[in-house]
Amino acid sequence: GMNLQIGPLSKRMFEAIESRSSLMKGASMDVKRGFLIYTMDFAAKEAVRAALKQNGLELQLTEDEQDEGMWADIDNIRLLDEEGVPIPGTYDSWEEAVDNWQPGQAFDFVARQVPAKMKELSLDELLQALDPNGDLREQAKSAGMSMPDDTMKNLQDMANENVRRTEDSPREANADGEVFAGIPENRGYRVINAKELSVDCLQNDGIENESTLMHVMDAMANHGCLIVDVTDGGSSFEQAQKISGMWDTAHSFFLGMSLEERLEKIPGMTSLEEVGSPHAKVGFGNCNGGSMQFLETRLDREGKLFPKEAESFLGMYGCGHLADAFQVVSDIGKSIVRVIVGASTRESGLLGGAEATKAAQLAADELVDDGKSLVGDIENKEGRVSMSPHRLCLYSNEQSAQGQGEDTKEIFGAHTDSTFVTAVPVAAIAGLEVYDEDEEEWYRPEIAARRYWQEQRSAAGADPNGLTEVIDGVELPWYARYIVFMPGELLQLCSRN
């Protein structure tokens, strides 16, 4: 009661009733007592509302539940003295407590069965948190720029737009030779080397390399994704070997036991403690009779893989492979966020050159969760487990395989993730499609990656149709070289849409 200012609130409330209600003039003790009970209930309800807000929740009351005594079950009421010390005795209702209470006096209580829900974050609240004084927004308006909340008022608007795009997308699936796989001559469809995205390739003055910047922005803004070569054109294979280890683990997991065994041995999707959201889960799930299967994993800040039973069904080496691959992907992802946020900041005119790049690097370091602990003087309350999941997925057209359907259909519908970037390592089968804004076509980047591989092989005098390469005595699949990165909804906000 003291912390949530119940005393001052109840005093102001009762004084307002006394000054404005005609019923209080010459009122009987019963009428005054009724207003006192109403005041206690109102102050308590507002205190609960404030406490819920502190925990990311909001009170959800119907019109009938707004009435006194209807919004929660109240008990264990303890009146407090002026110092906040509990006065001996507890009460189980306002009616019991009110005769010993006066407006302005704080009290503690327990509220049960409170109807509440997760608080919906509005864009205005998000922008307020990022720019509390409004200085950046004023500068943006003076520069003639539109802000994200000019076109989308809240995250629900963004979700509705996501639904619209989902419903407008095709349901049929076409063979590789019949789909759009990019235009090789255009920069945005080309494969970029991972090293070109690193801070080591910034210009000497700290400004982003212009060629890299234009390549990334063309790919992500116009074509919906960027293909990255982790071998830097075949000059270094350390990262590709880690990606290959991840693929070995995925194949062993999905092919080494039946769906029934996975359901029996592996816990279902469950929330973890000490994670930034109750929606952050780990575990195994499947849909549509096994057509979609997912193993959701996360790393803690010390590099341990969750779910905690992971080592029992992935093995020690399998867990290590996933952790290694996650770091490869997250390092590249953070670099991409830096490039894009820096480019949009430069375009806005708010910061230029090296300052824009430095600010973008800070944003990527502080906002994008790579599973590592934050370093330096960054004030934080980060959870023990990473907010960024590493998800193993198996998609299969079971109905078509069993002769139950004539046409091949999509397995997982169109959607945009609530991420900064979503990374999809290129697979042997080109199943990923991304909407290309420029061409107004669904683009299959994994075919473009395979085409690039074949060109590299031909240039080296090797068989372009080969599916593997031997590096230091280890056979690597061709697709272990490439990762597709796509922008998520959070990157839309950070790059001014």
Side-chain angles (χ1 to χ4, degrees):
M2 296 293 288
N3 291 341
L4 293 169
Q5 299 292 301
I6 282 180
L9 175 60
S10 65
K11 184 177 181 179
R12 291 196 304 271
M13 181 66 185
F14 193 74
E15 288 175 349
I17 292 173
E18 281 187 313
S19 63
R20 297 182 183 181
S21 176
S22 60
L23 295 175
M24 288 293 289
K25 297 176 181 178
S28 66
M29 289 300 297
D30 287 341
V31 171
K32 184 176 180 180
R33 188 173 186 273
F35 278 118
L36 286 170
I37 291 173
Y38 177 82
T39 301
M40 289 190 82
D41 184 81
F42 178 86
K45 182 167 60 178
E46 292 307 305
V48 167
R49 196 188 303 276
L52 289 171
K53 185 177 181 181
Q54 291 176 2
N55 290 277
L57 300 166
E58 61 184 358
L59 203 57
Q60 189 176 29
L61 299 176
T62 64
E63 186 173 344
D64 292 339
E65 290 171 335
Q66 297 283 355
D67 295 338
E68 178 259 311
M70 298 295 291
W71 57 273
D73 296 335
I74 303 296
D75 58 28
N76 287 322
I77 303 166
R78 294 190 307 174
L79 304 182
L80 308 176
D81 64 19
E82 293 181 355
E83 302 298 324
V85 177
I87 298 172
T90 61
Y91 310 91
D92 289 330
S93 68
W94 304 130
E95 287 80 2
E96 292 181 17
V98 70
D99 293 331
N100 298 303
W101 176 80
Q102 58 184 2
Q105 182 179 5
F107 54 86
D108 295 338
F109 63 96
V110 174
R112 309 180 195 276
Q113 303 298 325
V114 179
K117 65 175 184 176
M118 294 293 296
K119 190 175 186 301
E120 295 181 0
L121 179 66
S122 70
L123 291 184
D124 183 64
E125 289 173 317
L126 181 59
L127 292 173
Q128 182 64 30
L130 296 172
D131 180 26
N133 298 322
D135 295 340
L136 296 178
R137 279 171 283 185
E138 285 302 318
Q139 293 178 40
K141 288 178 181 178
S142 64
M145 292 175 50
S146 63
M147 297 299 290
D149 58 343
D150 291 338
T151 53
M152 292 180 289
K153 295 301 180 185
N154 51 51
L155 297 184
Q156 185 61 51
D157 288 349
M158 186 175 284
N160 292 339
E161 172 63 10
N162 190 6
V163 170
R164 183 196 67 77
R165 286 181 286 175
T166 299
E167 294 304 318
D168 287 348
S169 65
R171 296 293 191 271
E172 72 280 354
N174 298 314
D176 288 357
E178 301 172 0
V179 299
F180 179 65
I183 303 170
E185 296 76 24
N186 291 5
R187 172 170 48 197
Y189 297 110
R190 297 177 200 155
V191 176
I192 192 170
N193 291 333
K195 68 179 180 182
E196 296 177 45
L197 300 165
S198 72
V199 291
D200 296 334
C201 285
L202 296 176
Q203 296 176 184
N204 292 334
D205 54 5
I207 297 177
E208 204 74 59
N209 182 285
E210 195 70 17
S211 175
T212 298
L213 185 152
M214 296 303 292
H215 188 154
V216 171
M217 294 304 288
D218 185 16
M220 296 288 260
N222 298 329
H223 309 307
C225 66
L226 174 70
I227 306 171
V228 178
D229 180 358
V230 301
T231 71
D232 297 328
S235 62
S236 174
F237 287 88
E238 180 182 356
Q239 311 293 35
Q241 288 169 339
K242 293 177 181 178
I243 299 298
S244 179
M246 177 207 71
W247 279 113
D248 288 343
T249 301
H251 292 151
S252 297
F253 174 72
F254 286 117
L255 300 178
M257 64 177 94
S258 66
L259 173 59
E260 290 72 22
E261 290 175 311
R262 285 192 283 276
L263 291 171
E264 180 181 344
K265 294 180 179 180
I266 305 171
M269 294 289 185
T270 55
S271 298
L272 283 172
E273 295 182 4
E274 298 185 49
V275 185
S277 165
H279 303 294
K281 300 180 182 295
V282 296
F284 181 74
N286 82 102
C287 305
N288 297 338
S291 291
M292 292 187 286
Q293 300 179 37
F294 309 98
L295 175 64
E296 190 95 341
T297 72
R298 294 174 189 269
L299 289 171
D300 70 5
R301 305 295 170 195
E302 297 178 355
K304 180 183 177 181
L305 193 73
F306 285 84
K308 62 183 180 182
E309 303 88 351
E311 196 167 308
S312 68
F313 54 83
L314 293 176
M316 181 179 67
Y317 290 111
C319 291
H321 290 323
L322 293 192
D324 289 344
F326 179 85
Q327 291 305 330
V328 172
V329 172
S330 60
D331 287 348
I332 298 172
K334 289 179 68 172
S335 295
I336 291 172
V337 171
R338 183 202 74 238
V339 173
I340 291 175
V341 174
S344 65
T345 303
R346 282 177 56 186
E347 185 181 45
S348 73
L350 298 178
L351 292 173
E355 287 299 310
T357 300
K358 182 179 179 181
Q361 183 67 60
L362 287 172
D365 286 341
E366 294 188 27
L367 296 178
V368 183
D369 194 342
D370 60 358
K372 303 172 185 175
S373 295
L374 288 168
V375 296
D377 298 327
I378 302 173
E379 184 177 340
N380 69 86
K381 295 180 181 179
E382 66 181 3
R384 181 172 61 94
V385 181
S386 174
M387 277 297 295
S388 299
H390 186 178
R391 181 181 303 150
L392 301 187
C393 309
L394 174 69
Y395 304 116
S396 58
N397 196 331
E398 293 293 335
Q399 290 187 345
S400 178
Q402 297 169 10
Q404 298 175 15
E406 295 180 3
D407 299 323
T408 300
K409 300 289 185 181
E410 67 170 13
I411 302 300
F412 199 147
H415 61 284
T416 301
D417 292 328
S418 296
T419 60
F420 288 95
V421 289
T422 294
V424 179
V426 168
I429 297 174
L432 173 67
E433 290 189 332
V434 182
Y435 190 70
D436 188 314
E437 295 281 353
D438 256 17
E439 297 298 320
E440 297 183 345
E441 294 246 27
W442 285 90
Y443 162 44
R444 206 171 286 185
E446 288 166 309
I447 297 178
R450 175 67 186 276
R451 182 177 59 215
Y452 179 76
W453 154 263
Q454 291 174 326
E455 291 172 356
Q456 293 263 309
R457 295 277 288 179
S458 295
D463 178 10
N465 296 315
L467 300 178
T468 61
E469 56 187 332
V470 178
I471 306 297
D472 297 331
V474 178
E475 189 173 60
L476 299 180
W478 71 269
Y479 49 85
R481 285 184 174 215
Y482 309 109
I483 303 171
V484 177
F485 288 86
M486 296 168 286
E489 290 177 339
L490 300 181
L491 193 58
Q492 291 182 33
L493 293 176
C494 289
S495 60
R496 296 177 176 83
N497 213 28

